[in-house]
Amino acid sequence: MTRTAFGKFLALGAAAAVMLAGCASDSATGSPTDDWSIPDADPTATINVVGIIDPVAESMDEVIAAFEDAHPTIDVNYQYVPFDDLNSVLDTRITSKSGDPDVFWVDQPRVPALSARGYLEDLTAAFEGRLDGLVPATVESSSYDGKLWSVPIANSTQVLFYNKDILDAAGITPPGSSGERVTWQALKELGAQAQASGGADIGLMVGQPNRYYQLEPIPVSAGGGVGVTGDDMLTPAFTNDGWVDAMTYYGSLFEDGVSPKGITPEQTDATFLAGKTAFFVEGNWMVPKMLDATFEWGAALNPVWEGGDPATPTGSWSLGINPFSKNKEAAAIFIDWMAIDGEGGYGEHRAFAELPANTRGLESYLAGPAFTSSEGGKQAAAVIAEETETSAVSRASTVGYIEFEEIIGRAFSDIANGADPAEALAAAETELTNAWKQYK
């Protein structure tokens, strides 16, 4: 987006914030207009935190325990919510004005929409002068209309993982971790070859098969754009040739049996680790999990559309405070520890973390055994460095992002299940146009 368009977009966001601020009126205790700051001494408090990281399977329990050890007067009641349920949970609980949750996970593209709805506390003053140790792009992604609405704990990119044992059996030369990329079209053929002669049950799988974050790079690389256009970024744009071509390709993966139907995003990592998948496009958080792999593996650059420009996802999670929280100071201490203190507690204490937004934490992350103890890990580190520097494409930035993500996600699922891509995208575009009338 150009700076001029972005400025107009921010102006729209300010207007939308006024229009949608009905949930942001004052309350007797805990209100969006309270004056507060991060205290020098810890208060005694219990904070409710809603997150999308499984406490046991993805080691979030270890993060919470480390925080409570460092801040013994603050107890954390961590509540796990699956990603697909996060919007509805926040809608219900924040609009109740009860102050629960105090802190919640914020997907960075949702910042404009959540701030416009009045779901986020303005953190600009509280965190002034505290953000220098964070990757600047992640701070920008956590801000909107000139204000800081959340604090980043992570960044991300994508890696093309492969099972080298299967590729060797099929006589396939692995793609590279630098330089030339394999095309999406060629990757489908290689996946089918791995199934035919390498013993693979699955030729090609993506980590989040129905989510915009994962699939956006295909239509972008095919020339279709991010799916949204206009000075106000409230005009759907995913029925053009680039999008239709990309989604026709995507649907063919399932129709031809190269990709599996019925596997959820929560199941894909374990499916690849089971050892019968040839190629797997997944986030950098997969690298530490590969320490448990029972097969030889490698990492390559994200695929590119034939004749197109490289495009890879970026952005990740930040933490926001409920404007009706009654424990804003304790909530801010938790966020400060998670994101800023030292190397950032989230990245330091979680075994399968995303790329830390904390610059010191990022250095340690890439120097850890997951990236240094195997050839595959070293390849992954090279991929991450190149992707984040040269091909990262942010998701569509719009106050209507929540509706956009939900509607396009349903279209992706329909296409994977056999719907005509052009018809599914056209229906989604009509639905989104109607849903966005509230912002016009």
Side-chain angles (χ1 to χ4, degrees), residues 74-365:
I74 302 176
D75 293 326
V76 176
N77 177 24
Y78 180 78
Q79 302 153 30
Y80 166 62
V81 173
F83 173 82
D84 291 339
D85 298 331
L86 183 60
N87 285 341
S88 60
V89 168
L90 296 179
D91 281 340
T92 299
R93 291 170 64 174
I94 294 179
T95 55
S96 74
K97 302 183 183 180
S98 67
D100 178 19
D102 299 287
V103 177
F104 57 93
W105 255 238
V106 179
D107 198 8
Q108 288 166 349
R110 298 181 181 183
V111 168
L114 292 172
S115 62
R117 293 183 180 195
Y119 287 10
L120 287 168
E121 178 79 0
D122 181 356
L123 303 180
T124 310
F127 282 87
E128 184 177 5
R130 306 179 80 93
L131 305 175
D132 290 346
L134 301 179
V135 175
T138 66
V139 176
E140 182 179 350
S141 297
S142 302
S143 306
Y144 174 62
D145 199 23
K147 298 179 180 179
L148 180 74
W149 296 101
S150 58
V151 179
I153 56 174
N155 199 357
S156 69
T157 191
Q158 293 290 295
V159 178
L160 174 59
F161 296 92
Y162 56 85
N163 184 319
K164 192 172 184 301
D165 293 345
I166 290 176
L167 268 56
D168 286 347
I172 296 172
T173 300
S177 57
S178 63
E180 187 174 350
R181 300 167 186 264
V182 65
T183 66
W184 284 104
Q185 290 86 346
L187 188 60
K188 176 185 175 182
E189 295 181 3
L190 292 175
Q193 181 180 338
Q195 289 173 299
S197 54
D201 290 339
I202 298 171
L204 169 61
M205 181 172 62
V206 297
Q208 300 176 21
N210 60 351
R211 292 179 183 167
Y212 175 68
Y213 167 81
Q214 182 91 67
L215 301 183
E216 175 204 27
I218 307 178
V220 169
S221 187
V226 298
V228 181
T229 191
D231 289 345
D232 58 4
M233 291 297 281
L234 284 169
T235 301
F238 45 79
T239 56
N240 57 58
D241 290 345
W243 268 83
V244 172
D245 289 348
M247 289 300 103
T248 299
Y249 163 83
Y250 188 63
S252 76
L253 294 175
F254 300 90
E255 182 179 358
D256 296 343
V258 177
S259 294
K261 295 180 180 180
I263 296 181
T264 69
E266 291 76 20
Q267 297 170 325
T268 54
D269 290 359
T271 300
F272 183 66
L273 284 170
K276 301 297 286 183
T277 300
F279 295 100
F280 183 39
V281 180
E282 181 59 304
N284 48 270
W285 53 85
M286 189 68 194
V287 179
K289 298 182 182 183
M290 295 307 298
L291 290 169
D292 296 328
T294 58
F295 52 87
E296 189 175 355
W297 63 280
L301 292 166
N302 208 52
V304 64
W305 191 258
E306 189 174 280
D309 295 325
T312 51
T314 190
S316 189
W317 293 102
S318 55
L319 298 179
I321 294 179
N322 181 347
F324 299 101
S325 168
K326 301 173 179 63
N327 301 295
K328 291 174 184 174
E329 293 181 347
I333 290 170
F334 175 74
I335 291 176
D336 191 75
W337 180 88
M338 287 278 282
I340 298 169
D341 187 29
E343 297 184 357
Y346 178 69
E348 185 176 354
H349 295 283
R350 184 178 168 228
F352 307 123
E354 303 88 346
L355 292 178
N358 184 298
T359 55
R360 290 173 56 193
L362 179 59
E363 291 177 4
S364 293
Y365 180 82

Side-chain angles (χ1 to χ4, degrees), residues 26 43 65 70-71 102 163 393:
D26 293 350
H71 298 273
D102 299 287
N163 184 319
V393 175

